[in-house]
């Protein structure tokens, strides 16, 4: 039995692409250019692989026969290897010289014969304790798709991808002493069968040793914890990537290079040295824009990335719009024991808003503890709200509340700038007691759930928002604690915050409860950057569940995937109320 063995086999190298009549490169000598004539192959994959593998022709049509014969010998060898790469080990290749229109051209006539089939796949991957790693999470899914089935035609590229894929994943999981005991592709051309034989001794997995972050702006312990890893954690390529991303995501550093010291590994641990470049201490941002809810607006933001070695930082932001002016500042203190996921904020906000006959001036001062876990964000907060509200011609009223509460959020979107799949959830619950520096006792809650789901080229989007407030004296509630509906991110077709209970003069004053919902469908109309949209929104704010009436609007729009995010243009028609004039809505961002 004649058996062909190769410890490492891949697709034969890249030559020059020939057309299906297969032409080689032009000869470097002068005169007419001969072309290699290929006959006998009917499968495009075989023709392409042979064409990519044969050497280019570097002689003219008048070349002597000995030169052409020498070329044919090398072309035949290359073609044979190209056919074997795709499982054809019994091919018959005949060479000849054709005289076409006075040009002596080399020719290969190929009969590929039967293809070799895979008879067996022998696969062993074991660690130092003899445990089979084939069922480990880092290998299981790869092997499920990469291991060929018995009876499948042989493709040496499949063997190479399987072997190198196993090697890369085992090494990437920290088995740096892994070695092949056997890695062979065994082909028997007589029986047209092949066998994969792969036996890998993975050894012991390494762990992270000492972590040294080369930087001068933070305490060493804080910088180390910002990596998200500790000495003794399992070593893997994924862990190194996460360390890099965590340090960059902290915004303290503009460049991070994670360098495992594999040559210095000892006692199954690998020291990690991380080179960093500090970010500029401060950044400044100016912006200008327009939104149908707020009108024309300008704004600016100042960020101080680090103030001291404990990683404290602050930011201030102001916005001037036609209907809303705001100034806010936040001072953030990372929690030393878990700076990646926990921090404390001290914040202050001043807002002035004038819209649809309602004028408010409010200030909020507070503190919160924020904790992130997986895709969840939670916070506990305590804040003091002082607000002066005037509804239409009614006298202005000042109220104050010491609010305490919690926020919970969850977000899983495939693209933050232009999501096409995912879910968003936000909920807030707060309370105040009249004896504790508050104008009235209250419990207030609101929740929003939104999602996107693609079906074919269509993208379907939905949103539901609910809110309610229980209080001993609703008349003491300032505007910021009441519920309103209408606007770009609520019920389109109606003006911003124009839906809700009204007083005796017809002035919208907001309600105790809120229900809004939206359904939208998007379809690409030009490439993957322009979408047409159709939507229906419904909702309202009200004081009693018995008096609930939902206003509905529907319309069409355009979505543009711009470099800065989703740009939305909508025209919505209101079905309820006295005015049935379509409204234009403009916005930036994939808002729910």
């Amino acid at each position: 039995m004649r058996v062909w063995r190769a410890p490492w086999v891949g697709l034969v190298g890249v030559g020059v692409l020939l057309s299906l009549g297969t032409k080689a490169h032009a000869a470097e000598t002068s005169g007419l250019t001969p072309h290699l004539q290929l006959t006998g192959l009917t499968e495009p994959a075989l023709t392409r692989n042979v064409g990519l593998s044969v050497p280019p022709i570097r002689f003219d049509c008048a070349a002597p026969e000995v030169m052409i014969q020498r070329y044919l010998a090398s072309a035949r060898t290359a073609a044979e290897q190209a056919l074997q790469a795709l499982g054809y080990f019994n091919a018959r290749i005949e060479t000849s010289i054709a005289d076409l229109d006075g040009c002596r051209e080399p020719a290969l006539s190929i009969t590929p014969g039967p293809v070799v089939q895979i008879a067996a796949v022998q696969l062993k991957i074991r660690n130092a304790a003899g445990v089979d790693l084939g069922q480990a999470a880092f290998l299981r899914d790869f092997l499920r798709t990469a291991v060929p089935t018995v009876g499948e035609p042989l493709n040496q590229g499949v063997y190479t991808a399987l072997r190198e894929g196993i090697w890369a994943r085992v090494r990437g999981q920290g088995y740096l002493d892994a070695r092949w005991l056997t890695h062979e592709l065994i082909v028997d051309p007589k029986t047209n069968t092949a066998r994969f034989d792969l036996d890998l001794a993975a050894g012991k997995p390494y762990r992270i040793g000492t972590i040294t972050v080369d930087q001068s702006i933070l305490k060493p312990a804080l910088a180390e914890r910002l990596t998200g890893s500790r000495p003794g954690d399992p070593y893997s390529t994924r862990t190194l990537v996460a360390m890099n991303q965590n340090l960059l995501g902290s915004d303290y550093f503009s460049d991070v290079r994670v360098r495992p010291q594999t040559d210095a590994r000892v006692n199954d641990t690998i020291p990690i040295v991380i080179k960093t470049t500090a970010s500029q201490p401060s950044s400044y941002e100016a912006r200008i824009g327009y939104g149908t809810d707020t009108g024309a607006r300008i704004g600016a933001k100042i960020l101080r990335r680090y103030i001291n070695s404990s990683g404290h930082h602050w930011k201030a932001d102001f916005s001037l719009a036609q209907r809303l002016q705001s100034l806010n500042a936040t001072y953030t203190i990372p929690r030393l024991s878990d700076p990646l996921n926990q921090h404390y904020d001290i914040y202050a906000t001043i807002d002035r808003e004038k819209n649809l006959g309602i004028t408010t001036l409010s200030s909020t001062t507070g503190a919160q503890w924020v904790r992130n876990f997986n895709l969840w964000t939670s916070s506990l907060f305590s804040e003091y709200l002082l607000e002066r509200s005037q509804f239409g011609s009614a006298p202005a009223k000042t109220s104050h509340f010491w609010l305490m509460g919690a926020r919970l959020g969850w977000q899983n979107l495939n693209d933050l700038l232009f999501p096409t799949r995912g879910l968003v959830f936000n909920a807030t619950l707060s309370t105040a007691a009249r004896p504790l520096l508050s104008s009235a006792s209250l419990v207030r809650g609101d929740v929003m759930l939104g999602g996107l789901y693609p079906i074919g080229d269509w993208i379907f989007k939905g949103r539901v928002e609910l809110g309610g407030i229980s209080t001993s004296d609703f008349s003491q509630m300032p505007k910021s604690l009441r519920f309103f509906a209408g606007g770009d991110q609520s019920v389109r077709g109606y003006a911003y915050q124009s839906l809700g209970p009204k007083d005796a003069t017809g002035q919208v004053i907001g309600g105790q409860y809120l229900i809004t919902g939206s359904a939208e469908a998007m379809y690409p109309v030009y490439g993957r950057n322009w979408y047409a949209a159709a939507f229906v929104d419904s909702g309202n704010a009200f004081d009693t569940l018995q008096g609930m009436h939902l206003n509905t609007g529907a319309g069409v729009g355009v979505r543009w995937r711009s470099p800065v995010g989703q740009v939305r243009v909508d025209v919505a028609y209101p079905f309820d109320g006295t005015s049935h004039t379509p409204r234009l809505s403009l916005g930036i961002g994939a808002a729910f």
Side-chain angles (χ1 to χ4, degrees):
M1 178 179 70
R2 182 165 60 95
V3 177
W4 182 89
R5 293 174 179 263
W8 186 92
V9 183
L11 288 176
V12 182
V14 178
V16 180
L17 182 62
L18 304 176
S19 60
L20 188 62
T22 313
K23 300 182 179 181
H25 274 305
E28 295 180 348
T29 58
S30 59
L32 296 174
T33 303
H35 305 107
L36 176 63
Q37 302 296 319
L38 277 182
T39 58
L41 296 178
T42 58
E43 293 189 23
L46 293 181
T47 304
R48 181 171 59 253
N49 207 40
V50 170
L52 287 168
S53 303
V54 295
I57 295 176
R58 302 189 181 279
F59 51 84
D60 60 21
C61 290
E65 182 174 343
V66 64
M67 181 178 291
I68 301 176
Q69 291 291 355
R70 189 161 56 242
Y71 170 81
L72 283 170
S74 61
R76 175 174 180 161
T77 300
E80 185 178 55
Q81 293 174 344
L83 293 167
Q84 290 176 356
L86 296 181
Y88 292 86
F89 280 76
N90 288 303
R92 186 172 70 253
I93 304 176
E94 297 178 356
T95 64
S96 61
I97 300 175
D99 190 349
L100 300 176
D101 298 327
C103 183
R104 296 160 62 85
E105 296 191 330
L108 294 179
S109 177
I110 302 175
T111 302
V115 66
V116 170
Q117 294 183 335
I118 298 173
V121 178
Q122 298 178 358
L123 186 62
K124 293 181 181 179
I125 311 168
R126 302 187 183 277
N127 63 15
V131 177
D132 181 15
L133 297 180
Q135 297 303 313
F138 70 94
L139 268 178
R140 184 177 57 245
D141 292 342
F142 168 74
L143 294 179
R144 187 179 295 120
T145 58
V147 175
T149 57
V150 172
E152 186 177 312
L154 172 64
N155 185 322
Q156 294 183 40
V158 172
Y159 166 80
T160 302
L162 175 62
R163 194 204 64 188
E164 293 184 353
I166 293 172
W167 180 256
R169 284 164 175 78
V170 169
R171 293 270 300 181
Q173 198 63 24
Y175 294 89
L176 301 185
D177 295 331
R179 60 189 180 90
W180 287 108
L181 301 179
T182 305
H183 56 108
E184 290 185 325
L185 167 59
I186 304 171
V187 178
D188 183 356
K190 185 176 181 179
T191 60
N192 274 313
T193 59
R195 186 176 80 247
F196 290 11
D197 193 353
L198 296 169
D199 189 350
L200 180 67
K204 292 183 178 180
Y206 278 83
R207 294 188 172 272
I208 294 175
T210 58
I211 300 174
T212 304
V213 184
D214 185 5
Q215 55 85 37
S216 59
I217 61 174
L218 303 174
K219 293 177 180 178
L222 175 60
E224 179 183 325
R225 289 190 175 99
L226 283 171
T227 65
S229 297
R230 302 285 184 89
D233 287 350
Y235 173 92
S236 70
T237 302
R238 180 175 295 181
T239 299
L240 300 181
V241 172
M243 294 171 76
N244 182 282
Q245 293 176 339
N246 289 337
L247 286 172
L248 284 175
S250 72
D251 208 27
Y252 295 119
F253 309 102
S254 61
D255 185 60
V256 175
R257 307 289 176 89
V258 180
R259 298 175 177 174
Q261 308 299 297
T262 54
D263 292 339
R265 60 184 186 266
V266 62
N267 296 328
D268 298 332
T269 64
I270 300 176
I272 307 295
V273 175
I274 304 176
K275 302 292 184 180
T276 67
T277 301
S279 298
Q280 291 295 321
S282 302
S283 70
Y284 306 91
E285 175 186 302
R287 57 184 181 270
I288 185 171
Y290 179 85
T292 45
D293 285 352
T294 60
R297 59 179 180 263
I298 60 172
K301 179 180 178 181
I302 303 173
L303 172 64
R304 184 73 176 181
R305 292 188 174 93
Y306 45 89
I307 301 171
N308 51 36
S309 60
S310 295
H312 296 193
H313 53 275
W314 65 268
K315 62 182 178 181
D317 191 303
F318 83 89
S319 176
L320 301 177
Q322 289 176 281
R323 303 184 184 95
L324 174 64
Q325 302 84 46
S326 65
L327 172 65
N328 62 76
T330 303
Y331 188 94
T332 299
I333 304 170
R335 186 169 183 175
L336 182 59
S337 61
D338 188 15
L340 276 178
N341 300 308
Q342 299 187 58
H343 63 267
Y344 305 98
D345 293 335
I346 301 171
Y347 56 88
T349 302
I350 298 176
D351 291 323
R352 181 186 182 275
E353 184 175 9
K354 187 173 184 180
N355 181 53
L356 296 178
I358 306 175
T359 303
T360 60
L361 179 62
S362 67
S363 68
T364 303
T365 305
Q368 65 177 351
W369 168 43
V370 180
R371 181 171 182 262
N372 302 317
F373 51 104
N374 296 328
L375 298 174
W376 292 94
T377 298
S378 63
S379 68
L380 299 175
F381 66 90
S382 175
E383 61 187 29
Y384 186 74
L385 169 65
L386 179 64
E387 183 167 323
R388 182 177 183 271
S389 302
Q390 182 176 16
F391 296 90
S393 59
K397 181 178 292 187
T398 300
S399 54
H400 53 91
F401 293 87
W402 181 16
L403 296 164
M404 290 172 284
R407 299 183 182 94
L408 183 64
W410 187 80
Q411 178 172 291
N412 184 18
L413 299 174
N414 63 344
D415 184 347
L416 295 179
L417 294 180
F418 197 103
T420 58
R421 179 193 294 270
L423 290 172
V424 174
F425 170 82
N426 289 299
T428 302
L429 181 66
S430 60
T431 185
R434 186 169 183 175
L436 299 177
L437 303 177
S438 298
S439 298
S441 298
L442 67 87
V443 176
R444 185 183 190 276
D446 63 83
V447 60
M448 187 277 288
L449 176 65
L452 302 105
Y453 191 78
I455 299 179
D457 289 334
W458 289 89
I459 300 171
F460 294 93
K461 178 179 178 180
R463 184 200 79 246
V464 175
E465 185 174 4
L466 305 174
I469 182 169
S470 175
T471 178
S472 58
D473 187 358
F474 184 74
S475 65
Q476 292 293 330
M477 296 300 105
K479 182 195 174 187
S480 62
L481 295 180
R482 302 185 182 202
F483 291 102
F484 297 82
D488 297 350
Q489 299 179 35
S490 179
V491 183
R492 285 163 287 188
Y494 302 87
Y496 175 61
Q497 295 189 345
S498 65
L499 299 180
K502 300 178 181 179
D503 62 13
T505 66
Q507 173 68 54
V508 177
I509 59 173
Q512 288 188 246
Y513 305 100
L514 174 73
I515 295 179
T516 65
S518 175
E520 182 174 309
M522 297 189 298
Y523 188 82
V525 293
Y526 185 76
R528 290 292 172 179
N529 292 329
W530 291 90
Y531 285 76
F535 57 86
V536 176
D537 300 335
S538 188
N540 209 338
F542 42 90
D543 286 332
T544 63
L545 297 178
Q546 293 77 13
M548 179 178 63
H549 171 75
L550 302 184
N551 287 40
T552 301
V556 295
V558 175
R559 306 289 180 264
W560 173 41
R561 190 196 301 266
S562 78
V564 297
Q566 185 182 121
V567 175
R568 296 172 286 113
V569 180
D570 292 324
V571 177
Y573 180 82
F575 293 106
D576 300 280
T578 58
S579 175
H580 294 281
T581 303
R583 293 186 62 87
L584 176 68
S585 297
L586 304 175
I588 296 179
F592 281 92

